[in-house]
């Protein structure tokens, strides 16, 4: 009780008790009621028996040995049968809940979840993009409310675990295997998620958001995401210079092309090693949830723009273990090998940032717009404080 009270007051992020918006939490709550009731009955019963016995059989002159009840078959039978009945009762309740939660409904929204050190990709196999491939988003999982989402969870390297506490328990993301899991919520909102198995230096920085939208909003997101093609930057603009650096790098200084690792829908950039950046400008999180902003425009605020700049310039310095190479000419270690980073000027890094910010879904498909953030306590670099 102390743990529940002490952790619950300040951080609602992990306090899911009584949150009835998701099917998992409802089942857990309904199962908890008989379990807690039984525990109270047992606690009161045992306490009563203890005090009664101590009082009734108190030995005034401490000389005679106490009466023995070894071999009392009736008592021993009761002490075995009663716990077995209790355990069976709880098992029946648990199996009933699993039977309700486990079947994948036919009309479930199918989403592929890929965990890697240290970020997540969410791909929609039922939503092919007009520009090729499927709709994919990095670190921000968009779902419809009132409908089951069937997640197929795997890992591209080590064992991770997908965990959005307000939506239910966790599922391991294990390389070489695919686990399915269903989540559902009735309440629109931005939910916090985190990897929940120690997976390396930035395990705690392997966060994600689940954004549950009412069905009509979800459909307009998915439709726009399927039709999306990255805009062609205006000639001579910062975005155009950024696009060139993004797709070609800068071979003269050894700066690798971002496109080697990142995909941007509707461009030749089709790298698979890093998070999909197709809708980077619509996203409100950076570095797999390490930083977040109130609106896409907030990334242009000086402090936030500085963070994005610092991230591109040297992401391992911001996030230990990040596999994105620095672009500041420093030496860095990758897979035990010491490497020399390529070099981009600050202006060139700003050009790439400008290009990334221009990768936006149309306004009506901005999935963060007007959706309440449930239990936010991440560092927010944008002006205006925690969303
Ligand atoms: Cu991935 Cu911890």
């Amino acid at each position: 009780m102390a743990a529940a009270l002490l952790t619950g007051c300040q951080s609602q992020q992990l306090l899911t008790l009584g949150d009835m918006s998701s099917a998992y939490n409802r089942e857990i709550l309904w199962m908890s009621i008989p379990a807690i009731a039984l525990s109270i009955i047992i606690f009161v019963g045992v306490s009563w028996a203890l005090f009664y016995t101590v009082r009734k059989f108190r030995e005034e002159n401490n000389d005679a040995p106490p009466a023995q009840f070894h071999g009392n078959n009736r008592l021993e039978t009761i002490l075995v049968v009663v716990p077995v009945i209790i355990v069976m009762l709880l098992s029946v309740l648990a199996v009933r809940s699993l039977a309700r939660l486990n079947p994948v409904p036919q009309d479930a929204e199918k989403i592929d979840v890929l965990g890697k050190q240290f970020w997540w990709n969410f791909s929609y196999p039922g939503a092919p993009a007009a520009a090729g491939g499927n709709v994919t988003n990095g670190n921000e999982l968009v779902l419809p409310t009132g409908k089951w989402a069937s997640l197929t969870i795997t890992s591209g390297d080590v064992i991770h675990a997908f965990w959005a506490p307000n939506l239910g328990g966790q599922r391991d993301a294990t390389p070489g295997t695919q686990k399915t899991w269903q989540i559902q919520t009735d309440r629109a909102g931005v939910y916090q998620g985190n990897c929940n198995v120690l997976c390396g230096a930035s395990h705690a920085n392997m966060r994600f958001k689940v954004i549950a939208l009412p069905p009509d909003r979800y459909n307009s997101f998915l439709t726009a995401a399927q039709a999306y093609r990255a805009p062609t930057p205006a000639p001579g603009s910062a975005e155009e210079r950024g696009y060139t650096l993004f797709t070609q790098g800068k071979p003269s200084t050894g700066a690798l092309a971002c496109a080697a690792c990142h995909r941007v829908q509707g461009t030749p950039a089709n790298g698979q090693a890093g998070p999909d950046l197709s809708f980077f400008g619509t996203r409100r999180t950076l570095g797999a949830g390490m930083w977040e902003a109130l609106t896409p425009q907030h990334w242009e605020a000086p402090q936030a723009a500085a963070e994005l700049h610092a991230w591109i310039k040297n992401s391992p310095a911001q996030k230990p273990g990040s596999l994105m190479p620095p672009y500041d000419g420093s030496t860095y270690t990758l897979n035990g090998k010491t490497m020399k980073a390529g070099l981009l000027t600050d202006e060139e890094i700003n050009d790439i940032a400008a290009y990334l910010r221009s990768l936006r879904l149309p306004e009506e498909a901005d999935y963060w717009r007007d959706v309440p953030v449930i239990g936010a306590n991440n560092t927010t670099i944008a002006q205006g404080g925690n969303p």
Side-chain angles (χ1 to χ4, degrees):
M1 283 179 77
L5 290 172
L6 292 173
T7 57
C9 299
Q10 291 305 315
S11 164
Q12 51 178 318
Q13 179 178 356
L14 301 182
L15 185 66
T16 59
L17 202 67
D19 178 351
M20 300 287 273
S21 55
S22 81
Y24 264 83
N25 286 353
R26 284 196 292 272
E27 287 295 330
I28 289 169
L29 191 72
W30 289 126
M31 265 179 59
S32 303
I33 290 170
I36 291 170
L38 272 170
S39 306
I40 291 172
I41 292 169
I42 292 167
F43 176 76
V44 170
V46 170
S47 304
W48 174 83
L50 184 69
F51 284 110
Y52 172 82
T53 315
V54 166
R55 212 181 129 68
K56 170 126 199 229
F57 300 102
R58 194 169 46 198
E59 190 64 61
E60 299 294 346
N61 321 313
N62 226 350
D63 49 4
Q68 302 297 303
F69 54 88
H70 176 75
N72 184 334
N73 285 342
R74 204 174 68 151
L75 184 63
E76 288 182 6
T77 308
I78 290 172
L79 289 181
V80 169
V81 169
V82 170
V84 166
I85 291 174
I86 291 172
V87 170
M88 280 171 59
L89 183 68
L90 292 175
S91 308
V92 168
L93 290 175
V95 169
R96 193 186 60 161
S97 287
L98 287 175
R100 278 194 202 146
L101 292 171
N102 273 352
V104 185
Q106 282 298 312
D107 66 337
E109 202 68 17
K110 291 189 173 46
I111 300 167
D112 291 339
V113 177
L114 171 69
K116 287 184 99 171
Q117 286 172 323
F118 297 96
W119 51 274
W120 299 90
N121 241 22
F122 303 112
S123 183
Y124 296 72
N134 293 328
V135 169
T136 303
N137 201 13
N139 303 314
E140 296 182 3
L141 169 57
V142 186
L143 295 178
T145 55
K147 190 179 179 189
W148 285 92
S150 170
L151 310 178
T152 302
I153 302 172
T154 191
S155 163
D157 38 43
V158 301
I159 297 175
H160 306 278
F162 177 94
W163 185 46
N166 286 61
L167 300 177
Q170 68 170 56
R171 279 297 178 278
D172 279 359
T174 311
T177 66
Q178 298 195 322
K179 288 190 184 151
T180 54
W181 186 39
Q182 302 75 244
I183 57 175
Q184 178 271 349
T185 179
D186 295 331
R187 178 173 54 161
V190 180
Y191 295 82
Q192 316 295 314
N194 211 117
C195 178
N196 199 21
V197 164
L198 182 62
C199 56
S202 273
H203 156 67
N205 296 324
M206 191 172 163
R207 303 174 196 168
F208 61 94
K209 303 285 182 190
V210 179
I211 298 134
L213 297 178
D216 55 329
R217 288 268 318 263
Y218 176 76
N219 288 336
S220 59
F221 155 74
L222 208 57
T223 307
Q226 286 183 270
Y228 180 87
R229 286 171 194 275
T232 306
S237 63
E239 288 83 357
E240 193 198 40
R241 295 192 297 274
Y243 172 74
T244 306
L245 289 164
F246 188 92
T247 48
Q248 295 167 22
K250 194 178 175 190
S252 60
T253 64
L256 303 170
C258 314
C261 295
H262 297 283
R263 171 179 180 260
V264 174
Q265 199 172 298
T267 74
N270 197 27
Q272 305 291 322
D276 194 292
L277 297 179
S278 294
F279 319 127
F280 183 90
T282 296
R283 276 158 44 178
R284 308 279 164 87
T285 60
L286 174 64
M290 285 182 77
W291 301 276
E292 55 187 71
L294 292 171
T295 65
Q297 287 75 23
H298 273 94
W299 292 119
E300 281 151 44
Q303 197 193 351
E307 185 48 58
L308 181 53
H309 182 100
W311 175 255
I312 298 170
K313 188 168 188 167
N314 191 338
S315 101
Q318 309 288 312
K319 180 171 180 173
S322 167
L323 294 180
M324 186 159 99
Y327 285 92
D328 58 0
S330 62
T331 49
Y332 67 105
T333 309
L334 182 65
N335 297 330
K337 273 184 259 169
T338 304
M339 322 258 278
K340 181 93 168 76
L343 183 64
L344 294 178
T345 65
D346 285 348
E347 290 71 36
E348 288 167 333
I349 287 170
N350 286 340
D351 290 343
I352 293 175
Y355 174 66
L356 289 175
R357 285 201 304 262
S358 75
L359 302 175
R360 268 184 217 172
L361 290 167
E363 184 71 20
E364 71 274 11
D366 175 0
Y367 48 84
W368 283 80
R369 181 172 42 93
D370 304 329
V371 179
V373 176
I374 295 162
N377 67 356
N378 284 351
T379 314
T380 300
I381 58 173
Q383 292 163 348
N386 224 333

